[in-house]
Amino acid sequence: MNLDEQLQPALEQRKQRYLYRQRRCLQSSQQPTLQVDGQPCLSFTSNDYLGLASHPQLIAAVQQASRSYGVGSGASHLVSGHSELHQQLEQQLAIYTGRQRTLLFGNGYMANLGVISALLERQDVVFEDRLNHASLLDGGLLSQARIQRYAHNDVVDLERRLSQCAARRRLVVCDGVFSMDGDLAPLRQLAVISKNHGAWLMVDDAHGFGVLGTQGKGTALQQGLDQSDCPIYIATLGKALGAYGAFVAGSEVLIETLIQQARTYIYTTAMPPAMAAAALAGLQLLKCESWRQDQLQKLISTFKAGALQLGLPLLPSDTPIQPLLVGSAKTAITISNALQQQGILVAAIRPPTVPKGRSRLRISLSASHTLAQVDRLLSALASLQHQGLLSEELD
Ligand SMILES: *Cc1c(COP(=O)(O)O)cnc(C)c1O
């Protein structure tokens, strides 16, 4: 059999199980009202939580920086791709997150792969929350360390596992805000347990940085964790910050170690300097304009109150990620398609991104949404519920 003949049956099977994934084609910038596949849509699908992805100041920063620094960085950081804009961004992020130093990575996926595989080896153990982001699991796999997955947010399960483990190095890893559930990790407790057992705590705050805590400084600072409580803090620049890329924050020694050893840092082209300029502009907005976080909180409570009143199957979340648990992949796709027919875009999240029987609509809110737009979403959901589409149904 040739390549296509071998691959085709698996594609067919995916389609039959409602697990086939298709891309929509965006014809505008990322914002609440956008043009998709030739149609105007109201979108609740992006991670652009503050509406910075198309902010004039970020656009101007990219334009200006590319005039001075060009477009491509042309080399890896360690060869000649590390520009003064990267340097400035690393310094600003260190001050902002209250850490000694930071290091930029191409994106969050590469940061997670690079950090975990640089710190652990075969004889070590990584403890991962069962609902951790795929990149954290893949980082564990790449490191060849033994992976122990503890029950979601279950500090008792984690402590039991830690106390039975005598490995050389032990790393506890979790999302700060869980990307498909929207709930928070109990970071204070995780920090205490990790310290007590001589393990290191690493937090991936892709969805918390920019959104939670004073000035959007993220879940670690919000829960009072300094560098000694959470020695490895990772966040992305492509979500709330509106740009692209990621950074790791921690001690001087951690950062120097990663520069020497993180393969996804060493063997890849540096992000374009203009993208660092965009992130710097985003950071500046975080520092001096807090109305976005306030607006976001207002939208979150409006949506939650409305959904509660309708009796929708909301998961417990106080973040802009507001999932409706519908159960089967088929139901999730059906609802998402029905919403799109009404001009509303909501992502159907299915296995393997979430466990079987836990498919959901992942509604994500942004500070650039209006209350009227949230009301429009609620009325659309109410009408689907009247048609009996929104009742939970298991695979
Ligand atoms: C999005 C995400 C990543 C990956 O970040 P990218 O910059 O998009 O590669 C990593 N971890 C979590 C929890 C995420 O949600």
Side-chain angles (χ1 to χ4, degrees), residues 47 49 106-112 132-136 174-180 204-207 234-239 244-246 362:
N47 300 315
Y49 299 119
N107 56 48
Y109 199 110
M110 296 205 335
N112 287 335
N132 270 358
H133 189 262
S135 58
L136 294 171
C174 67
D175 288 21
V177 176
F178 286 87
S179 53
M180 297 301 140
D204 172 358
D205 209 16
H207 299 276
I234 298 188
T236 64
L237 307 172
K239 288 172 178 161
Y244 189 75
R362 181 181 184 271

Side-chain angles (χ1 to χ4, degrees), residues 82-124:
H82 186 68
S83 83
E84 55 188 346
L85 289 177
H86 297 122
Q87 188 80 14
Q88 270 175 38
L89 178 57
E90 287 182 349
Q91 284 163 356
Q92 291 297 318
L93 287 168
I95 296 169
Y96 200 64
T97 55
R99 265 59 183 170
Q100 269 173 356
R101 273 184 75 180
T102 66
L103 188 68
L104 296 177
F105 277 78
N107 56 48
Y109 199 110
M110 296 205 335
N112 287 335
L113 290 191
V115 172
I116 300 175
S117 63
L119 297 180
L120 301 185
E121 290 174 21
R122 198 185 294 274
Q123 67 267 40
D124 304 322

Side-chain angles (χ1 to χ4, degrees), residues 31-65:
Q31 51 194 17
T33 48
L34 39 78
Q35 194 74 15
V36 165
D37 294 333
Q39 285 194 327
C41 266
L42 171 59
S43 165
F44 294 91
T45 53
S46 87
N47 300 315
D48 179 28
Y49 299 119
L50 301 178
L52 298 184
S54 52
H55 192 284
Q57 273 169 251
L58 274 74
I59 296 170
V62 169
Q63 288 171 332
Q64 243 170 25

